[in-house]
């Protein structure tokens, strides 16, 4: 049985959910996946760092109270020591789950780079390094024969990027558009039901959808990062954040809502990227009043969805959760499964090359 | 460059769309897929049979008028000769696209069996052999080291079965439910807009959604076949058609429609299969009035959709076309792409085994 050793960089909600899954459901996971997982390093701004090459007791660290740090444990320190831990710990896979920095993607982008440079695969749900540095980091991973996976950077565990890569073979995708932020979709639904913007945001906060500062959700900058990722990963074209015309939902008036409703339309905050005739892409984030025949019109509550427009199949849509601790931890797990599959494939390919080389006929 | 030779069994709308795609878009397809396709045999109740090992001129046969047959062509006959052609023609892949027989799946099931027994991979969009004989035919394919693919048997080219198999790794799916028939969903939408059942069916017929005899669409037997396929392919449990409690949409009254609408609910014909505690499955086809928070409530017009309920990710839904000539032909193409991938994987696996056997360390 193969075991992958993990380093968890950032020990917040998502990493903790992954650690809970690994420690509480280990037997089922191992049986289902054909490999087992062990955490050998954790770093965190609050807890410091912990490196234990024989495997960390996850139940024990999960039970540590807020305010504690790792300094009293063997291999522990109150200092995160991110660079040294990422570079020197004996992990096979680095799980990058620090905060999203939408300006330059740091320090997460450096975490990813250090991991790849020291021969470790990477999975992350962090939009920053993916939206801003995916091409360079993917090239670095390929150069080193490693995987850089980030399914959770767009729709948490709902498999949007892998769907585009693997489920639409032989098709040409001409545009991708989606409801990419659960908070703003929830707020728009409450606005249709008569709530004011302020009341709807407050409700979203009470339900745990919205941050204390909801600006990134409401004004579209969270969606803009995701549109940049979709444009590159689905359409293969880099777009700068500045080139994405971005408008949030705070400008939608009561009259706008009423008029749309009278015409059977529903306001949705749509992030989109569309291929242009010259090989480029037009990308935008803006509220659109959709007719009920549009595949995104019926996406309700905090659900997210992405619609792919293709040549032979027309429009295909995937919808599901776009946030949540466990749902996002599942994105990391699905990336680890993909890393395992890629590892096995490249081992078989190496064997096939060897057989070719010695000229054996099968 | 690898070439796969195809035999098209049944030369109706879907097969013809595939032939058009292969003949008109050959260069782009070959570039995109890394292999090329050639049709070496065609059989059809009306046209008879045609076997040309060096490749059939598809543009010429596509241009043949209704009422003509293949007897005047080299390798042609006015007789379909299905058994002999399937068994003896030099195809790598048999494309089964004859009519669906919901009672015993014949003659399509025999076509599939003859193909596999004579060493050919199979792709089909035919619900009959899949709903009624998938387990035996899949076992036969595995025994012979061949592929039996049928993505198009449920939602035409919308990749539902492959999504369940490949996009949800590490998850346990507890139930699968869907809008699996475009005609009945279109009719329900028109009923909500005030049309009578009869008028709505007539409209669906005029738009080409409904057959001259719409019974299978309206009374749920088409959906029942698809539920049997989903239960087996997604949940791994065989259910007999007789055990699927089936109710269509003709019993929904104007009052039912009005009452649902007043409560913000929408009638949908839902096919579902749910895992039970004893390891079995409860399967049903019935109209359900869904609240707008349900992921299938907003699926409009002739669109189809399937919702998977999972342990870690909750509900994930895929929606898209469930019918159409080109969309269904794409399902066949996606199966052929999967057959190519499986062929390459098994070649690499054989190489890896050989390397293992001689004890080389990579």
């Amino acid at each position: 049985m193969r075991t992958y050793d993990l380093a968890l960089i950032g020990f917040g909600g998502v990493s903790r959910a992954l650690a809970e899954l690994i420690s509480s459901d280990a037997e089922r996971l191992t049986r289902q996946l054909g490999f087992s997982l062990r955490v050998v390093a954790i770093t965190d701004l609050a807890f410091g760092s912990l490196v234990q090459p024989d495997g960390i007791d996850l139940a024990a660290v999960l039970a540590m109270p807020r305010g504690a740090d790792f300094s009293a444990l063997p291999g522990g320190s109150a200092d995160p020591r991110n660079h040294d831990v990422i570079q020197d710990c004996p992990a096979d896979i680095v799980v990058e789950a620090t905060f999203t920095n939408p300006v330059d993607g740091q320090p997460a982008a450096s975490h990813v780079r250090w991991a790849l440079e020291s021969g470790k695969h990477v999975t992350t749900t962090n939009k920053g390094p993916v939206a801003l540095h995916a091409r360079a980091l993917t090239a670095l991973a390929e150069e080193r024969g490693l995987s850089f996976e980030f399914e959770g950077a767009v729709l948490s565990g709902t498999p949007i990027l892998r769907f585009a890569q693997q489920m639409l073979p032989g098709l040409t995708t001409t545009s991708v558009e989606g409801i990419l932020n659960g908070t703003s979709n929830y707020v728009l639904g409450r606005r249709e039901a008569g709530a004011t913007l302020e009341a709807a945001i407050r409700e979203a906060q009470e339900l745990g959808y919205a941050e204390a500062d909801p600006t990134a959700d409401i004004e579209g900058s969270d969606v803009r990062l995701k549109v940049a990722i979709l444009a590159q990963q689905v359409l293969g074209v880099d777009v700068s954040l500045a080139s994405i015309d971005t408008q949030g939902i705070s400008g939608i008036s009561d009259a706008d809502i009423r008029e749309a409703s009278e015409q059977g339309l529903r306001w949705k905050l749509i992030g989109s990227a569309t291929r242009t005739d010259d090989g480029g892409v037009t990308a935008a984030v803006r509220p659109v009043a959709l007719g009920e025949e549009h595949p995104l019109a019926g996406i309700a509550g905090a659900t997210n969805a992405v619609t792919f427009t293709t040549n032979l199949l027309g429009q295909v849509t995937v919808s599901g959760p776009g946030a949540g601790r466990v749902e996002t931890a599942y994105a990391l797990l699905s990336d680890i499964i993909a890393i395992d599959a890629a590892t096995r494939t490249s081992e078989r390919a190496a064997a096939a090359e060897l057989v070719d080389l010695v000229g054996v006929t099968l």
Side-chain angles (χ1 to χ4, degrees), chain A:
Chain A
M1 176 72 64
R2 216 175 272 240
T3 297
Y4 292 102
D5 286 341
L6 310 182
L8 308 182
I9 307 307
F11 199 48
V14 171
S15 288
R16 297 174 79 90
L18 180 65
E20 280 161 22
L21 199 62
I22 293 172
S23 73
S24 69
D25 212 9
E27 215 170 293
R28 183 188 68 81
L29 276 179
T30 302
R31 205 173 49 240
Q32 211 169 341
L33 305 180
F35 59 80
S36 64
L37 295 172
R38 188 167 68 165
V39 175
V40 297
I42 301 175
T43 75
D44 185 78
L45 277 178
F47 287 101
S49 60
L50 182 61
V51 180
Q52 296 184 344
D54 292 332
I56 293 169
D57 178 349
L58 292 173
V61 297
L62 285 166
M64 284 175 65
R66 286 265 147 212
D69 67 49
F70 293 143
S71 59
L73 301 175
S77 160
D79 179 348
R81 301 172 59 247
N82 279 314
H83 176 267
D84 293 353
V85 171
I86 291 171
Q87 182 177 275
D88 300 330
C89 81
D92 304 300
I93 301 171
V94 167
V95 178
E96 212 296 330
T98 65
F99 63 97
T100 291
N101 174 340
V103 178
D104 63 5
Q106 293 296 2
S110 292
H111 297 164
V112 175
R113 189 163 51 77
W114 297 334
L116 296 170
E117 285 174 349
S118 61
K120 301 171 180 77
H121 305 288
V122 176
T123 163
T124 188
T125 59
N126 194 319
K127 295 181 286 289
V130 183
L132 297 164
H133 304 285
R135 195 168 291 271
L137 294 171
T138 299
L140 176 60
E142 278 173 13
E143 197 183 301
R144 305 291 172 109
L146 296 164
S147 295
F148 173 42
E149 297 286 335
F150 41 79
E151 181 60 71
V154 184
L155 244 61
S156 79
T158 305
I160 284 304
L161 298 178
R162 227 160 259 140
F163 186 90
Q165 282 155 15
Q166 297 176 22
M167 293 288 106
L168 306 171
L171 294 175
T172 301
T173 299
T174 52
S175 103
V176 54
E177 59 186 326
I179 291 173
L180 304 170
N181 180 279
T183 299
S184 54
N185 201 53
Y186 176 83
V187 165
L188 284 172
R190 296 301 299 145
R191 293 278 283 126
E192 287 175 340
T196 63
L197 180 65
E198 293 67 29
I201 291 174
R202 214 162 38 237
E203 279 180 49
Q205 285 166 330
E206 282 161 14
L207 288 163
Y209 299 150
E211 309 279 335
D213 177 0
T215 314
D217 293 329
I218 299 301
E219 298 306 347
S221 63
D222 174 67
V223 175
R224 180 166 57 176
L225 282 171
K226 294 170 177 170
V227 166
I229 298 173
L230 289 173
Q232 190 188 68
Q233 299 299 319
V234 180
L235 303 180
V237 178
D238 287 359
V239 296
S240 69
L241 294 181
S243 75
I244 302 175
D245 182 24
T246 300
Q247 195 186 328
I249 63 169
S250 62
I252 301 177
S253 68
D254 292 350
D256 292 334
I257 298 269
R258 204 167 46 240
E259 273 170 41
S261 170
E262 281 163 13
Q263 296 170 54
L265 306 177
R266 308 196 62 177
W267 285 102
K268 297 290 173 189
L269 182 60
I270 300 296
S272 66
T274 304
R275 219 180 271 284
T276 54
D277 288 339
D278 62 358
V281 151
T282 308
V285 179
R286 63 179 151 235
V288 185
L290 300 177
E292 79 144 24
E293 74 294 346
H294 193 288
L296 298 174
I299 303 299
T303 304
N304 287 16
V306 174
T307 298
F308 303 90
T309 301
T310 68
N311 58 337
L312 301 176
L313 197 51
Q315 293 190 313
V316 185
T317 302
V318 181
S319 68
R325 284 173 72 244
V326 174
E327 294 83 348
T328 311
Y330 171 69
L332 295 169
L333 182 65
S334 76
D335 282 351
I336 293 168
I337 295 169
I339 291 168
D340 173 62
T343 303
R344 290 173 198 257
T345 299
S346 75
E347 284 167 3
R348 280 197 298 264
E353 257 181 59
L354 192 67
V355 168
D356 258 9
L357 206 67
V358 298
V360 180
T361 304
L362 294 175

